[in-house]
Amino acid sequence: MLDVRRLRLLRELAHLGTIAAVAEALSFSPSAVSQQLSVLEKEAGVPLLERTGRRVALTPAGLNLVRHAEAVLERLEQAGAELAHAREGLAGPLRIGTYPSAARAIVPALLAELAGWHPGLEPMVTEVDPAAVAAALRAGELDVALVHEYDLVPAEPEPGLALTRPIFTEPMYLAARGPGTVSDQRAEPWILAPAGTLCHTMAVRACESAGFAPRVRHQIDDFATVLALVAAGQGVALVPHLGTAQPPPGVTLTRLPMYRRTRTAFRAGAGAHPAISAFVSALHAAVPPGLRGSAV
């Protein structure tokens, strides 16, 4: 009989690429991951991994087993959802991931809605960049998360995860000391989010679409700080609607024909879980009316 926990390790190896990355994501030591995968190979009776020096690749049999593992893990999530429906009331922890601007502008109202509807539920919020959400959900560190995508950085399908339709849509703004377009700022220094984040990729692509590469001066992951730096003449930036609250004097916000959309992400098969359904309903109720619906 194949062990589900070891199947999860093999699935993560297929997604993350290295034993070290799997160990870090699931809080194991690399040697423990290697040992468990070796046991899984014995259970399967065929080679699942090909080792070439320090690198490990999945064999065709290993890749096929990952496909079955995805289906098994999804069915287990569905089973957990059905069992949750059979219990009286919602209770216990709900681990929520969110990006920073939603944590400030949306999540407090969302938590208030949840507390009113399901006082036994214990929401636990963690700030996490959408680029890191998939691994955190698959590892069981999160149960549900707010993730965003941009016109220039659409969401990529993630095995083992499911997404709702966009819950709300925000316009994007150019933050500068005066009005203008992105193209007008080619000679200016830019303030971007740290490399590796979706916000960083969005700003780089927006500049490239305007025909230039941004000259990055600062890398800041907080829009209030970004706007303060713009006001201080330290550069220009692209900021979504949720990040534009109370801009400091001297900052001009020029609306752009670009949008950021927010969805809810969770493990495949968990969409029918009553806690996930309650979270999505509370999120809909917490979104300011002006942001509901699709961009036009």
Side-chain angles (χ1 to χ4, degrees):
M1 180 69 69
L2 299 177
D3 187 281
V4 172
R5 292 168 296 180
R6 298 185 184 114
L7 288 175
R8 191 184 301 274
L9 291 176
L10 186 70
R11 190 269 298 271
E12 289 307 302
L13 181 59
H15 296 325
L16 300 178
T18 67
I19 286 176
V22 173
E24 181 178 0
L26 299 181
S27 301
F28 286 105
S29 68
S31 60
V33 173
S34 295
Q35 182 182 31
Q36 292 300 307
L37 290 173
S38 295
V39 173
L40 181 62
E41 281 191 308
K42 292 179 181 178
E43 291 176 342
V46 296
L48 302 176
L49 307 174
E50 294 177 336
R51 295 171 176 83
T52 56
R54 294 185 177 182
R55 299 189 64 81
V56 177
L58 272 66
T59 65
L63 291 171
N64 192 47
L65 186 56
V66 167
R67 180 173 60 83
H68 289 292
E70 296 282 12
V72 168
L73 294 170
E74 181 173 348
R75 290 300 298 270
L76 287 174
E77 292 289 343
Q78 292 172 350
E82 290 182 7
L83 290 172
H85 276 290
R87 293 192 287 267
E88 289 291 334
L90 284 178
L94 177 66
R95 294 159 299 182
I96 301 166
T98 180
Y99 55 89
S101 55
R104 176 187 56 79
I106 302 291
V107 169
L110 184 160
L111 297 180
E113 293 286 348
L114 278 178
W117 299 347
H118 305 287
L121 207 58
E122 301 173 25
M124 304 165 64
V125 179
T126 300
E127 283 191 3
V128 56
D129 187 80
V133 160
L137 283 170
R138 287 198 302 262
E141 297 170 358
L142 298 174
D143 299 310
V144 64
L146 297 181
V147 295
H148 58 60
E149 63 182 18
Y150 295 93
D151 290 342
L152 297 174
V153 192
E156 298 290 339
E158 281 283 356
L161 265 62
L163 293 170
T164 63
R165 292 186 176 184
I167 304 294
F168 62 92
T169 300
E170 305 166 72
M172 296 292 299
Y173 296 87
L174 172 67
R177 295 295 297 273
T181 66
V182 172
S183 181
D184 294 336
Q185 314 302 325
R186 65 179 64 242
E188 297 297 320
W190 279 75
I191 306 166
L192 270 62
T197 63
L198 297 184
C199 295
H200 180 99
T201 302
M202 174 274 302
V204 170
R205 291 184 181 176
C207 293
E208 290 174 345
S209 296
F212 68 97
R215 178 166 58 91
V216 181
R217 175 175 289 179
H218 304 293
Q219 297 191 61
I220 304 294
D221 197 23
D222 175 75
F223 290 122
T225 304
V226 168
L227 293 177
L229 290 174
V230 172
Q234 289 294 300
V236 300
L238 298 183
V239 182
H241 179 81
L242 291 184
T244 61
Q246 299 179 331
V251 174
T252 298
L253 296 172
T254 303
R255 183 165 175 168
L256 302 172
M258 299 167 50
Y259 295 90
R260 182 172 80 166
R261 288 170 292 278
T262 292
R263 303 172 185 260
T264 300
F266 40 84
R267 287 181 291 277
H273 194 289
I276 302 298
S277 299
F279 175 87
V280 174
S281 296
L283 176 58
H284 277 286
V287 173
L291 296 181
R292 294 173 187 168
S294 302
V296 294

